[in-house]
Amino acid sequence: MGYRILVVDDEIAILQLLKDYFEIQGYEVLTARTGKEAIESTIKNLDLILLDINLPDIDGLHVCQEIRGKIECPILFLTAKIEERDRINGFLMGGDDYILKPFSIEELGARVMAHIRREKRHQLVTNSQKGLVISYSQRSISYNGIPIILTKTEFNILELLSMNPGQIFSKEQIYEKVRGIDGMGDNTIITEHIRRIRNKMSVHTDFEYIKTVWGVGYQWIG
């Protein structure tokens, strides 16, 4: 199941662009065009909010202040320009980041994922599944108490997949999220990393946690 995000912007073109992009990435996307709609939408469980500052009824800073007491998920402001004082006020009201318009959709996607992963890491310090224990805070993995030694890149891949169970990632997506958009190299190396992770886990269990979705990518089975 993908993450649920709320996108708040009064510009229909931007709203549709972000909705289409994040749905393709596997997110469940809710939308709102006013501050009032945004406040009403926060009754649902959300993993992140993209919040335009310049809304027609209530500005985004006050919307953030209104909803911060009800939710704990990251709130990222969208704005065409920002003064230092506004930036400070935004953080004081509970915002987590600023995205300046016009923005790169790929960079925005990477920053959204980074905030969600950071939040989930704080919430989900340990993940236990069928004898497998993953400690995200200690960056370690074990099966029935026996440590499984992974390299930094191998753990990063396992972390990405296991924190998004059921979501399918292509080799390109895994490479970008693990190595960074500007990372140099061939994303086909992801196949080799996945093979090594599986080999190390197969010493301890026959259960296949990482499933290959042929022609698409890889998926974590919890």
Side-chain angles (χ1 to χ4, degrees), residues 54-70:
N54 298 313
L55 296 173
D57 55 344
I58 311 170
D59 73 76
L61 295 176
H62 286 91
V63 171
C64 178
Q65 185 179 37
E66 174 72 18
I67 65 179
R68 180 41 90 193
K70 306 174 185 177

Side-chain angles (χ1 to χ4, degrees), residues 16 55 139 199:
Q16 193 61 52
L55 296 173
R139 295 183 60 80
N199 285 345

Side-chain angles (χ1 to χ4, degrees), residues 33-47:
R33 295 185 59 192
T34 67
K36 183 176 183 294
E37 289 179 2
I39 293 171
E40 292 173 349
S41 296
T42 57
I43 62 173
K44 303 177 177 67
N45 292 326
L46 298 169
D47 293 296

Side-chain angles (χ1 to χ4, degrees), residues 1-4 26-28 47 165 167:
M1 179 179 178
Y3 293 120
R4 176 184 289 174
Y27 294 81
E28 179 183 350
D47 293 296
Q167 185 172 345

Side-chain angles (χ1 to χ4, degrees), residues 8-167:
V8 187
D9 201 300
D10 63 328
E11 296 185 49
I12 297 178
I14 291 180
L15 206 62
Q16 193 61 52
L17 170 68
L18 295 178
K19 179 178 173 62
D20 291 345
Y21 172 78
F22 283 108
E23 284 184 342
I24 290 173
Q25 300 302 312
Y27 294 81
E28 179 183 350
V29 182
L30 307 179
T31 61
R33 295 185 59 192
T34 67
K36 183 176 183 294
E37 289 179 2
I39 293 171
E40 292 173 349
S41 296
T42 57
I43 62 173
K44 303 177 177 67
N45 292 326
L46 298 169
D47 293 296
L48 183 138
I49 298 174
L50 286 172
L51 177 60
D52 184 28
I53 288 183
N54 298 313
L55 296 173
D57 55 344
I58 311 170
D59 73 76
L61 295 176
H62 286 91
V63 171
C64 178
Q65 185 179 37
E66 174 72 18
I67 65 179
R68 180 41 90 193
K70 306 174 185 177
I71 62 172
E72 297 181 357
C73 71
I75 299 175
L76 280 60
F77 291 116
L78 299 173
T79 180
K81 60 180 180 179
I82 189 70
E83 301 294 336
E84 182 179 2
R85 174 47 55 185
D86 292 330
R87 188 188 300 271
I88 293 173
N89 288 337
F91 288 135
L92 290 175
M93 290 181 179
D96 295 279
D97 202 355
Y98 280 90
I99 309 294
L100 293 178
K101 299 179 180 179
F103 48 77
S104 159
I105 192 71
E106 295 295 337
E107 179 183 355
L108 174 61
R111 289 172 72 173
V112 164
M113 176 54 73
H115 277 282
I116 291 178
R117 287 178 63 189
R118 187 178 302 118
E119 183 71 13
K120 294 303 178 183
R121 189 179 297 121
H122 292 160
Q123 294 176 1
L124 192 61
V125 176
T126 301
N127 184 357
S128 300
Q129 301 175 13
K130 297 179 175 64
L132 186 72
V133 177
I134 306 169
S135 175
Y136 299 113
S137 58
Q138 297 181 11
R139 295 183 60 80
S140 64
I141 174 176
S142 63
Y143 187 82
N144 287 340
I146 302 175
I148 300 174
I149 307 302
L150 300 181
T151 66
K152 177 181 178 181
T153 299
E154 289 168 357
F155 186 87
N156 288 343
I157 293 172
L158 181 137
E159 178 184 47
L160 172 65
L161 296 176
S162 65
M163 293 185 74
N164 298 277
Q167 185 172 345

